[in-house]
């Protein structure tokens, strides 16, 4: 554990040194500003209450899109019907076969600027993983469990909460861990093209006025937001314990 931490610290020290050296070679704030200038910009942003409104907006949209993708992925994924699956699979293929900019453009026509468009984009990107993981997990429930419920039938409520949810945890939590990191990045990307608020909107605004230091600062904020979410998720032991104790007990 300590060795891994030492390697990470060494990497970031080398990264900053290389950044300084490249900055000296390029010698242009419009291409690569020095790290200390980006740090000063970050401090300025942290002092500005207006910035937190944008940060909260990006987090809210990312989390809402993630939750909708998870809920609908679960609802449709537990339906063991080949016609329903083929229909949803066709919709997923349609989602994935077109560049994301197409869906952003269409969403702007459908919902206009603001929360709905950005939440929809996050949903479009994250829904396929949750749905496919749920469907494949349900499809591959071991036969002995199916036979067990035929011999000892239980009510739907107990089946859902005592068996199905714990059974699905090991399949869904890895996707959830990845998706919670990705949701903020997707939200920011959608905001860049269609937002009136959020980190992505601020990046677009900074780009317009060639404020490169701000762009680097916002990029660093997104990185820290993603890494802190991943750290919290792992630190709680939620993923580890769920995978370890994921199978069911019926009382």
């Amino acid at each position: 554990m300590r060795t891994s931490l030492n390697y990470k610290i060494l990497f970031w020290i080398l990264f900053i040194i290389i950044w300084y050296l490249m900055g000296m070679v390029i010698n242009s704030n419009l291409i690569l500003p020095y790290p200390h200038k980006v740090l000063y910009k970050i401090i300025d942003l942290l002092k500005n209450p207006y910035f937190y409104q944008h940060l909260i907006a990006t987090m809210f949209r990312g989390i809402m899109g993630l939750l909708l993708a998870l809920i609908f992925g679960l609802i449709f994924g537990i339906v063991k019907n080949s016609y329903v699956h083929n229909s949803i699979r066709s919709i997923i293929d349609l989602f994935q076969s077109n560049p994301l900019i197409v869906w952003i453009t269409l969403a702007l026509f459908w919902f206009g600027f603001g929360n709905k468009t950005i939440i929809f984009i996050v949903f479009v990107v994250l829904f396929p993983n949750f749905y496919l993981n749920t469907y494949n997990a349900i499809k591959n429930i071991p036969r002995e469990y199916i036979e067990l419920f035929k011999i000892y039938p239980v009510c739907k409520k107990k089946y859902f909460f005592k068996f199905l949810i714990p059974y699905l945890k090991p399949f869904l939590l890895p996707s959830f861990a990845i998706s919670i990191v990705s949701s903020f990045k997707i939200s920011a990307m959608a905001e860049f093209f269609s937002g009136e608020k959020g980190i992505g909107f601020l990046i677009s605004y900074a780009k317009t006025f060639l404020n490169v230091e701000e762009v680097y600062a916002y990029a660093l904020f997104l990185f820290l937001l993603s890494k802190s979410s991943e750290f919290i998720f792992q630190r709680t032991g939620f993923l580890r314990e769920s995978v370890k104790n994921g199978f069911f007990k019926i009382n």
Side-chain angles (χ1 to χ4, degrees):
M1 183 70 177
R2 182 175 291 274
T3 304
S4 176
L5 179 61
N6 290 338
Y7 276 125
K8 287 182 179 179
I9 293 172
L10 179 61
F11 168 80
W12 287 113
I13 292 173
L14 290 173
F15 179 81
I16 293 172
I17 292 172
I18 293 170
W19 187 348
Y20 266 111
L21 292 174
M22 291 180 64
M24 293 171 64
V25 172
I26 295 172
N27 195 27
S28 173
N29 280 334
L30 284 176
I31 299 176
L32 188 65
Y34 287 110
H36 67 273
K37 292 187 176 181
V38 176
L39 179 61
Y40 294 154
K41 183 60 66 174
I42 289 173
I43 294 171
D44 289 340
L45 290 172
L46 290 174
K47 293 177 181 178
N48 186 354
Y50 187 63
F51 167 73
Y52 293 98
Q53 297 178 17
H54 291 277
L55 182 62
I56 291 170
T58 297
M59 294 176 64
F60 169 77
R61 292 157 172 171
I63 291 170
M64 286 300 298
L66 171 67
L67 292 178
L68 286 174
L70 175 61
I71 291 168
F72 281 95
L74 279 171
I75 291 173
F76 289 106
I78 62 178
V79 178
K80 293 192 294 184
N81 183 293
S82 59
Y83 296 106
V84 173
H85 173 67
N86 290 334
S87 299
I88 295 176
R89 196 69 183 84
S90 298
I91 293 171
I92 289 174
D93 290 340
L94 184 64
F95 282 164
Q96 296 179 335
S97 61
N98 285 294
L100 203 54
I101 189 65
V102 172
W103 296 111
I104 293 174
T105 305
L106 290 174
L108 282 171
F109 286 122
W110 297 337
F111 308 119
F113 286 90
N115 288 338
K116 291 181 181 178
T117 291
I118 295 155
I119 291 171
F120 172 76
I121 296 303
V122 177
F123 170 82
V124 164
V125 176
L126 299 182
F127 170 76
N129 285 337
F130 287 121
Y131 169 75
L132 293 173
N133 285 338
T134 303
Y135 178 81
N136 289 325
I138 295 295
K139 186 179 179 182
N140 293 295
I141 292 177
R143 182 172 294 276
E144 54 266 30
Y145 295 156
I146 298 173
E147 296 297 329
L148 178 65
F149 287 119
K150 288 181 180 178
I151 299 171
Y152 303 104
V154 294
C155 67
K156 290 183 178 180
K157 181 179 178 181
K158 187 171 285 190
Y159 172 81
F160 186 80
F161 288 104
K162 296 292 184 178
F163 169 70
L164 197 58
I165 295 299
Y167 171 76
L168 288 174
K169 279 182 180 179
F171 298 93
L172 290 180
L173 283 175
S175 291
F176 188 85
I178 296 170
S179 297
I180 198 170
V181 173
S182 301
S183 62
F184 303 126
K185 301 175 187 176
I186 300 164
S187 178
M189 183 190 65
E191 288 166 351
F192 184 87
F193 295 102
S194 59
E196 296 176 314
K197 185 182 289 187
I199 299 297
F201 168 77
L202 291 177
I203 293 173
S204 176
Y205 190 81
K207 179 210 68 171
T208 302
F209 292 96
L210 299 178
N211 196 333
V212 181
E213 292 170 9
E214 275 197 27
V215 173
Y216 277 84
Y218 296 136
L220 185 57
F221 268 113
L222 286 174
F223 171 77
L224 293 175
L225 183 61
S226 298
K227 296 304 290 185
S228 60
S229 301
E230 183 181 3
F231 175 79
I232 292 169
F233 193 80
Q234 293 175 346
R235 189 70 176 176
T236 57
F238 187 48
L239 178 60
R240 182 177 61 255
E241 290 301 316
S242 297
V243 173
K244 181 179 177 181
N245 303 317
F247 286 94
F248 66 101
K249 294 179 181 179
I250 299 177
N251 298 320

